[in-house]
Amino acid sequence: MFKKIIVAEDIDTISDGLKAVFEKLQGTEVVFTKYCYETYLKIKRALLDNAPFDLLVTDLSFKSSHMDVKLTSGEEVISQLRTEGIDIAIITYSIDERGYNIRHLLHELNVNGYVSKGRESAPDLLRAIHTVFEGEQYVSAHLAHLKKPDTLTDLDATDLEILKLLAEGYSQPEIRDIFKQSSKKSSSFSSVEKRIIRMRISLQAKNTTHLVSIAKDMGLV
């Protein structure tokens, strides 16, 4: 397990709850901070002392403070650490569920985990810590589709056109008619339906509305 963890969270009640979570990680030193720049400086200081942190758990949004004149958000801290090539695992712990922002953190800033902050998120955070320690990326279950860019390879041009038409409000029978008028191969109702079902399975969508929502989150439409 990680030997040394730094947690950036500026709300005392949440920090108190997290302390109970981290008590379950025996033998792990945990340091809490309230400010972005303070967090960055502690990570840098630990490196100079040859006692580096193994893991950063950070919120994304922080209240403005005189302490944070250089780095004002969790994302800025992450970006700075990655820019400097500092070797530390990072889990974001946030209420932000905007798909484009989560994808940016996962695929461009290479965070190791994304946990959605909520009433029942403590067990989720523990799972994330164990998963990341094992070398795998972790994302809260209801956001899991955002960590799988490889699912895009399962979709062809016809699938993307169907998603676009669904997003524009067309029904399955209407899409079939549009395809028939264009003499497309998948012009039967059953063909369109099978493609939608396959996409729902691939993208872990509960229904067609959820499928369109996921597609928008992933920038497909």
Side-chain angles (χ1 to χ4, degrees), residues 1-7 18-32 52-57 91 125-126 129-130 133:
M1 180 45 61
F2 294 111
K3 296 300 182 183
K4 194 173 180 183
I5 299 174
I6 184 167
V7 182
L18 290 177
K19 287 174 183 176
V21 173
F22 286 105
E23 284 177 357
K24 297 178 181 179
L25 302 176
Q26 296 182 356
T28 299
E29 177 186 350
V30 182
V31 174
F32 283 81
F53 288 98
D54 306 304
L55 172 67
L56 164 64
V57 177
I91 295 174
L125 181 56
L126 272 179
I129 292 170
H130 286 286
F133 179 73

Side-chain angles (χ1 to χ4, degrees), residues 78-141:
I78 294 167
S79 181
Q80 186 64 35
L81 294 173
R82 292 307 192 223
T83 297
E84 295 184 25
I86 294 176
D87 184 19
I88 185 171
I90 299 174
I91 295 174
T92 49
Y93 183 60
S94 172
I95 61 172
D96 186 350
E97 294 192 352
R98 292 172 296 176
Y100 68 87
N101 198 36
I102 297 173
R103 288 199 315 275
H104 170 66
L105 290 160
L106 293 172
H107 309 313
E108 296 180 38
L109 295 184
N110 299 313
V111 301
N112 305 87
Y114 195 99
V115 176
S116 179
K117 184 188 291 186
R119 292 181 179 177
E120 305 299 327
S121 57
D124 199 22
L125 181 56
L126 272 179
R127 284 192 294 271
I129 292 170
H130 286 286
T131 300
V132 170
F133 179 73
E134 294 296 328
E136 298 180 22
Q137 193 177 61
Y138 183 90
V139 180
S140 292

Side-chain angles (χ1 to χ4, degrees), residues 151-170:
T151 56
L152 301 183
T153 61
D154 297 335
L155 309 182
D156 60 22
T158 301
D159 292 328
L160 295 176
E161 187 171 356
I162 290 173
L163 286 173
K164 180 175 180 294
L165 291 169
L166 287 171
E168 291 174 356
Y170 289 97

